[in-house]
Amino acid sequence: MRNGAVLGFNYPGSPWYAEAYALLTEEGARPETAPTGQRESWLRRIIPG
């Protein structure tokens, strides 16, 4: 949880924080900062563009 909080504070627009936020909310946690970026699909990660 601490790593997710650091990501949210420093990089709220990061796709990594969007992914961490989704994982935290699935576990029932309520992070203070909502992500401003979007999650990337696994396909987009392996085939950029």
Side-chain angles (χ1 to χ4, degrees), residues 18-31:
E19 191 70 32
Y21 184 87
L23 290 172
L24 287 171
T25 54
E26 286 175 7
E27 294 294 320
R30 297 266 181 203

Side-chain angles (χ1 to χ4, degrees), residues 8 11-15 17-19 21-22 31 33-39:
Y11 306 103
S14 165
Y17 178 59
E19 191 70 32
Y21 184 87
T33 307
T36 56
Q38 295 182 2
R39 293 175 70 179

